[in-house]
Amino acid sequence: MNALSPDVRALRPAFDSPSTWETLLCALDYWAHHCPDRQAFAFLGDDGTVTHAYTFATLQSHALAIAAVLQAKTMTGDRVILMYPPGVAFIPAFFGCLYAGTIAVPVNPPTRARHLDRIDSVMADAGAHVVLATQSVRDAVGSTPLPPAWRRCEWLDAEAVPIVWAERWRPHRPRPHDVAFLQYTSGSTGTPRGAMITHRNMMHNQWMFHRAFATDAASVFCGWVPLFHDMGLMIQVVHPVYIGASSLLLSPYDVMARPARWLRALTRHRATHTAAPNFAYDVCVQHVTAEERATIDLSHLRCAINGAEPVRESTMCRFAAAFAPHGLRTSALLPAYGMAEATLMIAAAPHGQPAAYSHFSRRDLDRGRVACPQSTASADTVSLPGYLVSFGDQEVRIVDPVRRVLLADGVIGEVWVRGAHVAKGYWKKQRASQDLLRARCVGIDAERRYLRTGDLGFFYQGRLFLTGRAKDVMIIRGRNIYPEDLEHAIRQTGSRWLQGLNAAFTQDAHGEACVVVVQELPGDATLTNEALQACSADLAAEVNATFDIALHTVLFLPPRTIPRTSSGKVRRQHTKWLYATGALPVLHTWHGCVQCASRC
């Protein structure tokens, strides 16, 4: 029974303030009592049918049973690793940790041996001694030599816990300031750190999300973003429980193998909300066939959120053009911005109207100060979405990252954020917590501490515009070149050999910063050295024409060899280190020094 009865509709909370629920468990208790038979979560197989499902009542019962087992093996505040493949088994395990008073630590199950070291560092940092996982994950891990932190952990198959164990649960009620889980940062700019997310952080951020995207108990969520990722966890698990809505989950492996499965699931279950990174919308345009599009109806979709990586207007325009004939409203395509240290959401495009993109002069962005946007797009402009940031008590400032002073509108600086949704700190990292999560801005009350996001941006007419990562920005002869823009321009050349993942960074050569591009080739590439030389020259010419800079080096690599974070983002700084140490598996190298005419 998915529909809310009239009496429950009358009883449901108004969500008019962040204090609607004290903790997430209050929300689950409420919905399990008032709507016990309402479907909370379901997992869809590769054919789109439901394979496993939980109502709010069965979710609560399974969570309490797991909590009882954890209480018998752990102490309040102990960290518990959650290592689950795609599916719904993660969800009662997560809530079981909350009911037990333990701290959940979601991680990505290893699919390759090289992933073991990262998870080992997370386990060691968290000091976890218990792992909740499916038997399939345990069997897969058991076939490889285990790192030290893994060997000392006790592994529990939560799916095998009898539901009658719920009767053994000793009531535990967390306080709002208690840590609910550790969200380990993806590691795109350094060693992974565990952001301590409290119950209060979650409730405030969920209220912000509710206000930004107009959610209610009648909303239907459908998505495939992995649940160990902050976007997947907050949007596809936490928010449906917060609001009392239903959520349908798909395997990211199934969706990447056949993107139409995502859109067909949205169609079949009349989903109102979904979310994915920018690349996923491009994949749908490229790989959903005309025959598959004929079966798709997106007329009920109110919000298709684009986040977790830079949002491209060109991507959204292509997606809108491809699926507007199938009921998609342009107003449903909403860019959003957030990060793990802010629980998830920081900013979003206005709901209910087409996202507004502004075209700023590339020259102005390079200089770090923008004037009014251009009226039309051109090769000399960069298109950026404008975000609203006024949600509850949140403050967003643009700060000079060196002098730590506020900057005027139109001046590019680091984005600093303050609010009840900002994480309590980093687990066991006082110095990083002080420097990055409790930073003080000169000229502002010393009691007001901010999260330093590491992202660059500026305000224009009350909206936030993002330009890139502070640590990744390339400074070429006094100009700020954003690697995301350069990488995107390369992929837009039209060459199928340049459609794969790439990374741009600078190296010091002859006392000057010079640009290096690392490019993955497709798996079926059989190009000769001569062809790769010609491809590199074309690539360099495109970069020079667009950015007025000369490439120093282009490296071609096999597919899936550029380091990525657990969520698929490029680890540029680590790639740069591998390049410097000669550890990249290079197939072909092109040097542009002759073309540069001694400029590098």
Side-chain angles (χ1 to χ4, degrees):
M1 181 178 69
N2 282 336
L4 288 178
S5 61
D7 57 328
V8 173
R9 286 185 180 275
L11 287 169
R12 73 173 186 241
F15 298 105
D16 54 359
S17 77
S19 60
T20 299
W21 307 119
E22 189 173 58
T23 72
L24 187 60
L25 295 182
C26 295
L28 180 53
D29 291 345
Y30 178 91
W31 298 114
H33 177 73
H34 290 290
C35 307
D37 299 324
R38 179 171 166 77
Q39 180 178 285
F41 297 97
F43 183 69
L44 306 179
D46 58 7
D47 62 352
T49 60
V50 173
T51 61
H52 298 86
Y54 287 109
T55 66
F56 282 106
T58 57
L59 171 60
Q60 184 187 53
S61 297
H62 279 83
L64 290 175
I66 295 169
V69 173
L70 289 175
Q71 287 176 331
K73 296 179 178 294
T74 63
M75 302 288 289
T76 299
D78 281 356
R79 278 72 59 207
V80 176
I81 300 292
L82 303 184
M83 193 180 299
Y84 283 88
V88 293
F90 170 94
I91 301 169
F94 178 77
F95 281 96
C97 289
L98 303 187
Y99 275 122
T102 58
I103 298 174
V105 185
V107 300
N108 183 16
T111 55
R112 294 179 177 84
R114 63 186 173 87
H115 295 160
L116 294 175
D117 289 341
R118 172 185 159 76
I119 303 176
D120 183 58
S121 67
V122 169
M123 285 182 165
D125 186 75
H129 295 280
V130 173
V131 177
L132 291 180
T134 61
Q135 188 59 46
S136 62
V137 168
R138 181 69 182 97
D139 292 342
V141 169
S143 64
T144 60
L146 296 181
W150 297 59
R151 291 196 293 268
R152 67 167 178 261
C153 287
E154 180 178 2
W155 290 65
L156 299 175
D157 179 5
E159 290 181 299
V161 175
I163 198 168
V164 295
W165 270 70
E167 299 173 3
R168 305 186 188 186
W169 173 66
R170 299 189 306 274
H172 168 83
R173 290 298 169 189
R175 297 164 298 181
H177 290 279
D178 288 344
V179 177
F181 69 100
L182 301 182
Q183 182 68 60
Y184 272 82
T185 58
S186 56
S188 59
T189 57
T191 303
R193 293 184 288 256
M196 296 187 287
I197 307 299
T198 67
H199 288 271
R200 181 171 181 258
N201 294 153
M202 278 199 291
M203 294 304 92
H204 274 257
N205 207 236
Q206 292 305 304
W207 180 77
M208 291 168 60
F209 189 90
H210 160 66
R211 293 293 294 260
F213 300 110
T215 61
D216 57 31
S219 300
V220 178
F221 292 79
C222 182
W224 52 266
V225 179
L227 302 187
F228 64 83
H229 188 276
D230 53 347
M231 175 187 274
L233 177 58
M234 289 295 113
I235 296 179
Q236 296 167 186
V237 174
V238 173
H239 197 72
V241 171
Y242 176 85
I243 208 76
S246 293
S247 180
L248 301 143
L249 307 175
L250 300 95
S251 165
Y253 307 117
D254 289 344
V255 170
M256 289 301 101
R258 194 170 180 181
R261 287 174 174 144
W262 176 28
L263 305 184
R264 282 179 172 171
L266 297 176
T267 299
R268 182 172 186 171
H269 298 279
R270 302 188 62 80
T272 60
H273 291 73
T274 192
N278 189 86
F279 82 87
Y281 295 96
D282 263 332
V283 167
C284 286
V285 174
Q286 295 164 6
H287 297 292
V288 177
T289 66
E291 182 180 0
E292 289 171 330
R293 291 181 190 183
T295 66
I296 291 167
D297 175 13
L298 302 180
S299 60
H300 45 275
L301 190 62
R302 301 205 306 266
C303 292
I305 300 166
N306 184 337
E309 62 184 26
V311 177
R312 301 286 178 186
E313 181 185 18
S314 57
T315 297
M316 293 289 89
C317 288
R318 286 192 295 269
F319 189 83
F323 296 102
H326 305 282
L328 177 69
R329 289 166 289 185
T330 306
S331 60
L333 300 175
L334 295 177
Y337 164 61
M339 62 191 310
E341 289 86 346
T343 308
L344 178 65
M345 195 190 98
I346 294 173
H351 174 263
Q353 55 186 281
Y357 296 85
S358 297
H359 309 289
F360 293 97
S361 161
R362 193 183 299 277
R363 186 183 300 272
D364 287 350
L365 294 174
D366 291 349
R367 291 196 304 245
R369 183 184 295 270
V370 302
C372 61
Q374 306 296 306
S375 58
T376 58
S378 71
D380 298 323
T381 63
V382 176
S383 176
L384 300 174
Y387 297 103
L388 299 180
V389 298
S390 299
F391 300 103
D393 68 343
Q394 177 175 251
E395 295 177 23
V396 178
R397 309 279 191 175
I398 303 298
V399 178
D400 184 307
V402 177
R403 296 182 296 137
R404 300 197 177 198
V405 297
L406 289 177
L407 297 175
D409 285 3
V411 179
I412 297 174
E414 186 178 10
V415 180
W416 287 27
V417 178
R418 181 176 183 272
H421 58 307
V422 173
K424 188 175 185 177
Y426 291 114
W427 183 258
K428 295 197 308 184
K429 290 180 172 59
Q430 290 296 324
R431 178 65 180 272
S433 298
Q434 194 69 27
D435 292 345
L436 301 178
L437 293 171
R438 305 181 195 128
R440 180 173 175 266
C441 184
V442 176
I444 294 181
D445 180 3
E447 295 301 314
R448 301 172 85 82
R449 300 299 178 124
Y450 293 85
L451 158 66
R452 298 187 61 171
T453 67
D455 292 315
L456 296 175
F458 61 93
F459 275 110
Y460 180 79
Q461 293 187 343
R463 296 198 179 181
L464 173 67
F465 295 86
L466 301 170
T467 58
R469 292 287 298 173
K471 191 169 288 189
D472 290 338
V473 67
M474 302 182 294
I475 303 175
I476 310 295
R477 291 191 170 92
R479 295 168 53 206
N480 293 332
I481 306 296
Y482 299 96
E484 300 95 335
D485 291 338
L486 193 149
E487 293 157 3
H488 179 69
I490 292 172
R491 291 194 294 272
Q492 297 304 303
T493 60
S495 169
R496 71 176 296 262
W497 311 115
L498 302 177
Q499 297 303 303
L501 195 70
N502 52 17
F505 50 85
T506 58
Q507 69 154 359
D508 186 71
H510 313 300
E512 186 174 353
C514 296
V515 179
V516 176
V517 170
V518 177
Q519 176 72 51
E520 289 183 354
L521 288 171
D524 60 348
T526 56
L527 292 180
T528 63
N529 285 340
E530 292 76 11
L532 287 172
Q533 283 290 107
C535 186
S536 300
D538 291 343
L539 183 157
E542 178 69 23
V543 169
N544 185 266
T546 304
F547 297 91
D548 192 27
I549 59 175
L551 290 187
H552 180 274
T553 302
V554 178
L555 304 175
F556 289 98
L557 274 60
R560 301 201 64 81
T561 49
I562 292 178
R564 296 164 168 80
T565 70
S566 59
S567 58
K569 297 177 186 175
V570 175
R571 297 179 63 189
R572 294 187 187 88
Q573 298 304 311
H574 188 56
T575 303
K576 182 177 180 177
W577 178 80
L578 292 175
Y579 169 74
T581 59
L584 290 173
V586 178
L587 297 175
H588 181 81
T589 302
W590 175 89
H591 292 294
C593 292
V594 174
Q595 287 81 354
C596 292
S598 76
R599 289 179 61 186
C600 61

